[in-house]
């Protein structure tokens, strides 16, 4: 048991333009080496491209993409007494699911061929909102793996 007490939960700050926490979460995941202004540039350019492509509110597209990619169930590796490891399906909470969704969206957009990160991110977000793209495939693969190992759920 901790002697220091529990840490206070900090709420995520919102970004300066859209005043949205989700946008700030995405920016913090894009950011590398503390270059937050560059991360904001990438996301805002991607949002502008989404606006041009879909002619709808880009924040709705972002929310829809993250909602579609968020996994409900995942697998965790457990070791039994004999030393062999098994992938046990576990339910994923909303915060963890959102964090995974953002991570998968950014990984899939980095793997895309294209000119720059803003272009690749906007394409991935539009595809994910429509129900296709690399991040959606990652979610489906995770769900398939959890479904295949459903018999091991009692090891949870």
């Amino acid at each position: 048991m901790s002697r220091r007490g529990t840490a206070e939960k900090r709420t995520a700050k919102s970004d300066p333009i859209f005043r949205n926490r989700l946008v700030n979460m995405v920016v913090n995941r894009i950011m590398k080496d503390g270059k937050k202004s560059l991360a904001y540039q990438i996301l805002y350019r991607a949002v502008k491209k989404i606006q041009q492509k879909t002619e709808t509110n880009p924040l709705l597209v972002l929310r829809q993409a993250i909602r579609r990619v968020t996994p409900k169930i995942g697998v965790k590796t457990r070791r039994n007494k004999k030393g062999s490891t098994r992938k046990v399906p576990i339910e994923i909470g909303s915060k963890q699911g959102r964090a995974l969704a953002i991570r998968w969206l950014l990984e899939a957009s980095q793997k895309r061929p294209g000119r720059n990160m803003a272009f690749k991110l906007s394409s991935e977000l539009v595809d994910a909102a429509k129900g296709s793209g690399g991040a959606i495939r990652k979610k489906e693969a995770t769900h398939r793996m959890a479904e295949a190992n459903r018999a091991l759920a009692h090891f949870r």
Side-chain angles (χ1 to χ4, degrees):
M1 203 167 148
S2 173
R3 292 170 184 261
R4 301 180 69 182
T6 55
E8 300 152 14
K9 290 281 183 189
R10 288 188 293 181
T11 57
K13 294 185 177 128
S14 51
D15 76 300
I17 291 183
F18 292 108
R19 306 246 182 267
N20 194 323
R21 287 188 187 144
L22 193 62
V23 171
N24 204 40
M25 285 174 71
V26 174
V27 164
N28 285 339
R29 288 301 306 189
I30 292 172
M31 180 173 57
K32 288 182 179 168
D33 300 327
K35 300 196 174 199
K36 196 167 212 166
S37 58
L38 181 62
Y40 273 123
Q41 278 181 13
I42 290 168
L43 187 76
Y44 290 150
R45 284 181 188 151
V47 162
K48 199 176 279 185
K49 281 190 172 60
I50 290 170
Q51 176 78 43
Q52 292 167 355
K53 282 181 191 174
T54 61
E55 295 171 0
T56 58
N57 185 358
L59 282 183
L60 290 176
V61 174
L62 178 68
R63 272 198 208 106
Q64 178 76 13
I66 289 175
R67 198 175 298 127
R68 285 245 169 119
V69 176
T70 303
K72 305 287 182 276
I73 194 166
V75 290
K76 199 168 198 175
T77 307
R78 292 268 187 251
R79 181 167 282 130
N80 67 0
K81 291 175 186 170
K82 295 177 183 174
S84 64
T85 56
R86 296 179 168 161
K87 294 206 182 286
V88 178
I90 55 160
E91 285 184 31
I92 296 175
S94 63
K95 282 187 177 178
Q96 180 67 27
R98 196 179 307 128
L100 278 172
I102 291 170
R103 192 181 317 155
W104 290 347
L105 279 165
L106 292 175
E107 283 174 8
S109 58
Q110 283 170 355
K111 287 179 185 171
R112 270 179 179 258
R115 296 190 291 276
N116 53 18
M117 186 58 189
F119 178 77
K120 296 191 281 190
L121 180 60
S122 66
S123 302
E124 185 63 37
L125 287 172
V126 169
D127 284 353
K130 289 179 183 172
S132 60
I136 296 284
R137 282 197 299 274
K138 175 84 171 168
K139 175 197 171 187
E140 288 168 354
T142 305
H143 276 230
R144 271 196 306 273
M145 194 180 293
E147 192 65 32
N149 293 328
R150 201 171 62 185
L152 304 175
H154 63 281
F155 288 116
R156 203 180 295 159

